[in-house]
Amino acid sequence: MHISRTDLNLFVVLDAIYSQGNITRASQTLHLSQPALSHALARLRTMFDDPLFVRQGAVMVPTPFTRSIITQVRQGLQLFEASLQTEQNFNPMQTQRNFNLGLRDVFEATVLPPLLQRIMQQAPGISIASVRVDRREIEPALSSGNLDMVLEVPIPLSGNIRQQRVSRDRLIVLSRKGHPQMPKKKNLPLDLSTYLQQGHVLVSSRRQGMGLEDFELNREGLRRQISLRCQHYFAACRVVSETDLLLTMPEQYGKIANAQFMNRIDPFPLATQPIDAHLYWHVSAENDTANVWLRQQLIVLMNGE
């Protein structure tokens, strides 16, 4: 096999089938007919002497060989696309592109509404898919092209992953209106002693382990009582509104999630470091003009501009 005798469009087909897991969806993504896509897949199978995908119902399951090459294929396609776009004038209004973003629910609620407003006005051909990604999978997901960028707290990654701090937040504490242990006067903040005497809600996608606030308390040799562990802040806000439990969470999302419950808001009663949020992307997308444009939008929005 030699590159001069290879139709590079076939690799686009390979990537589309792998991403969509379905011939129909892949053909729609590439604006090709299903027979044309099936013909391209047949050529790929001949070229690699491997079935590449095995049909299980409506799903096309990749073979071990496909899984072994897909990361290199995607990186090559990204670099090639970036080199082409660098030579062209990038026009957001004419760009047709889907971006896969790794976002937790905190960032979905704070970032997606204003981001989609900008996209619909400035780049209507761009679509967004928001997915949750485990922190251990961030680098593989960015390297393989499964994700275009990720918003997360600071984490150690290799030099192949670029990053930039995009926002700072702080912790707040929510309690229901009329909570019997909260200070009666509005100008009196929640004190640490009262905080530690209450039961608490911990929001985490993990089955066990501490929250950020618990790490801060542990540094001072302190510990709180966790009465409920749940997965989403919105549910936790409702629980707080109907019980005497307290909820500690980031301020920016707290004001959004708590809007309909009108729980009392107090500063976290312990001096802590700000909560930083970083934007991550792969080095292969560094000069991809569409990726650069979207990163700029996120950076501006996260800084409240």
Side-chain angles (χ1 to χ4, degrees):
M1 188 190 308
H2 192 277
I3 190 68
S4 64
R5 297 190 295 272
T6 302
D7 183 353
L8 298 182
N9 287 317
L10 295 177
F11 293 102
V12 177
V13 171
L14 179 71
D15 180 37
I17 298 174
Y18 188 92
S19 299
Q20 301 298 324
N22 179 277
I23 291 290
T24 300
R25 289 197 297 269
S27 64
Q28 292 171 347
T29 299
L30 297 178
H31 304 288
L32 293 174
S33 66
Q34 289 190 42
L37 198 76
S38 297
H39 177 68
L41 177 58
R43 292 176 61 192
L44 280 164
R45 285 168 166 165
T46 300
M47 184 169 69
F48 286 116
D49 192 24
D50 187 271
L52 300 178
F53 299 94
V54 178
R55 186 183 296 276
Q56 293 185 3
V59 178
M60 299 295 288
V61 179
T63 64
F65 175 76
T66 303
R67 291 193 182 96
S68 72
I69 67 170
I70 193 63
T71 296
Q72 290 83 359
V73 168
R74 285 178 161 173
Q75 289 180 358
L77 290 173
Q78 288 173 353
L79 288 170
F80 184 61
E81 184 175 9
S83 66
L84 290 176
Q85 292 180 348
T86 301
E87 300 299 324
Q88 300 172 356
N89 293 323
F90 173 65
N91 186 340
M93 290 297 295
Q94 297 179 356
T95 296
Q96 300 290 323
R97 181 86 171 264
N98 178 71
F99 283 96
N100 297 309
L101 307 185
L103 302 175
R104 291 184 289 131
D105 57 347
V106 172
F107 296 125
E108 279 193 329
T110 56
V111 171
L112 287 183
L115 177 62
L116 267 293
Q117 287 181 4
R118 283 178 175 247
I119 287 176
M120 292 174 70
Q121 293 172 0
Q122 303 177 32
I126 287 180
S127 60
I128 300 293
S130 171
V131 299
R132 185 151 190 165
V133 57
D134 187 281
R135 290 173 187 168
R136 295 168 296 182
E137 298 300 320
I138 288 177
E139 184 158 350
L142 290 172
S143 299
S144 66
N146 282 331
L147 290 178
D148 295 290
M149 54 195 79
V150 174
L151 272 173
E152 252 299 351
V153 297
I155 52 176
L157 297 171
S158 77
N160 289 326
I161 306 300
R162 300 288 191 255
Q163 61 177 285
Q164 180 175 338
R165 191 186 77 191
V166 292
S167 73
R168 311 200 91 169
D169 206 347
R170 66 170 186 161
L171 292 173
I172 58 171
V173 181
L174 273 58
S175 59
R176 72 172 176 88
K177 282 188 174 181
H179 192 296
Q181 304 303 320
M182 293 300 107
K184 303 304 179 185
K185 295 183 179 180
K186 292 183 178 180
N187 61 336
L188 289 178
L190 171 65
D191 62 83
L192 184 58
S193 176
T194 302
Y195 177 86
L196 294 173
Q197 291 171 10
Q198 312 308 309
H200 294 262
V201 181
L202 170 62
V203 175
S204 175
S205 60
R206 297 171 295 153
R207 293 187 178 183
Q208 56 186 359
M210 298 187 296
L212 173 62
E213 56 270 35
D214 296 300
F215 284 106
E216 298 291 348
L217 290 167
N218 279 2
R219 289 189 183 129
E220 303 297 324
L222 303 172
R223 189 172 182 178
R224 61 180 184 157
Q225 176 188 340
I226 305 299
S227 300
L228 170 67
R229 189 184 189 99
C230 67
Q231 300 177 70
H232 300 287
Y233 281 115
F234 182 83
C237 286
R238 181 173 180 182
V239 168
V240 167
S241 72
E242 299 180 16
T243 68
D244 287 340
L245 298 179
L246 304 186
L247 169 64
T248 305
M249 65 182 299
E251 181 178 27
Q252 293 180 24
Y253 184 40
K255 292 180 178 178
I256 296 173
N258 186 51
Q260 77 176 74
F261 301 108
M262 301 299 292
N263 292 309
R264 173 187 169 121
I265 296 178
D266 285 280
F268 185 61
L270 191 67
T272 63
Q273 293 295 318
I275 306 172
D276 289 344
H278 284 218
L279 181 63
Y280 300 90
W281 64 95
H282 193 263
V283 63
S284 63
E286 180 76 8
N287 298 315
D288 177 352
T289 51
N291 192 291
V292 170
W293 181 85
L294 187 59
R295 294 200 308 262
Q296 291 172 341
Q297 307 310 307
L298 286 167
I299 291 169
V300 168
L301 291 171
M302 294 293 287
N303 281 279
E305 299 179 21

